Amino acid sequence: MNILAFAASNSSTSINKKFVTSVSKYYKEPNDVIEIIDLHDFEAPLFSEDCEKTDGIPSTAYDLAKKIDEADFILVSFAEHNGNYSAAYKNITDWVSRIPGRKIYNGKPLFIMATSNGKRGGQSVLDIAANRLPKDGADILEIFSLPQFSENFEDGKGVTNVTYRSQLEAKVRKTKRILKQKLD
């Protein structure tokens, strides 16, 4: 299975990147390939129809679309900026959506998650994503929010809070069962 994982953030110190990287390890099986990408590598001019008319769709949008198309499963951890997507995620996915004949995720199964240092753990952006992504061609298998990241996560150990870790592992098991059925 080819697994694509990324944080919907372009921050070099993204806690969502740490989180999605940690969660991706649950999916590593002997023949699986896990690719963790950085949205910083997919920067594009600020989306506008004028820019599209003048310069076309940027190559980085096609590059991200190719990564999505090559994946059997996608893990995304959403950074929450003022209760919504980060500008980096919104911009590149706006560009991907302009590629003729495609939806952003083209029917791919996703596990979406978020974390923050707040008590809601990025729940606002997850609510937005859960509502929007199916319209963008995503098959959302599961959703998880980790609140108070600094208190509940440790580098090298992952989620340290027993309750949250148990909830996350149950969701991982569920998505693995669904993926096995889809790929068999």
Side-chain angles (χ1 to χ4, degrees):
M1 181 165 55
N2 291 322
I3 300 167
L4 178 65
F6 65 94
S9 166
N10 65 345
S11 170
S12 63
T13 59
S14 171
I15 60 176
N16 280 281
K17 186 168 186 183
K18 288 180 182 182
F19 184 45
V20 77
T21 299
S22 175
V23 173
S24 74
K25 294 174 184 172
Y26 283 106
Y27 292 92
K28 182 66 177 149
E29 298 293 333
N31 295 323
D32 292 346
V33 175
I34 299 173
E35 182 177 11
I36 299 167
I37 61 171
D38 190 328
L39 281 192
H40 184 70
D41 297 331
F42 298 89
E43 288 186 351
L46 187 61
F47 174 77
S48 76
E49 290 180 1
D50 293 337
C51 185
E52 183 179 8
K53 286 176 189 171
T54 304
D55 300 321
I57 298 169
S59 62
T60 51
Y62 288 101
D63 294 343
L64 181 58
K66 184 175 187 253
K67 296 283 186 194
I68 290 168
D69 291 344
E70 292 171 346
D72 297 309
F73 178 53
I74 302 170
L75 299 164
V76 183
S77 188
F78 286 92
E80 185 175 86
H81 291 192
N82 297 317
N84 210 322
Y85 299 131
S86 72
Y89 174 80
K90 179 74 168 89
N91 190 56
I92 193 61
T93 57
D94 280 349
W95 279 114
V96 171
S97 76
R98 300 299 290 179
I99 297 171
R102 90 168 282 129
K103 291 191 178 238
I104 296 166
Y105 291 102
N106 274 350
K108 297 293 179 169
L110 273 71
F111 183 175
I112 63 172
M113 58 198 81
T115 191
S116 74
N117 281 312
K119 291 181 181 179
R120 296 191 68 232
Q123 190 60 55
S124 293
V125 72
L126 277 179
D127 291 344
I128 292 166
N131 183 52
R132 178 68 219 175
L133 294 184
K135 296 171 188 155
D136 293 330
D139 176 13
I140 299 173
L141 303 185
E142 197 52 84
I143 300 169
F144 182 76
S145 169
L146 178 65
Q148 299 172 310
F149 178 81
S150 296
E151 295 174 27
N152 295 313
F153 186 93
E154 190 175 319
D155 289 342
K157 292 184 179 178
V159 177
T160 55
N161 176 291
V162 175
T163 301
Y164 294 131
R165 184 180 196 114
S166 176
Q167 291 170 357
L168 172 62
E169 289 174 349
K171 290 173 184 273
V172 166
R173 286 190 301 274
K174 178 182 172 189
T175 58
K176 283 182 169 185
R177 280 192 308 273
I178 294 169
L179 289 167
K180 184 173 175 12
Q181 291 170 352
K182 286 180 178 278
L183 296 173
D184 282 346

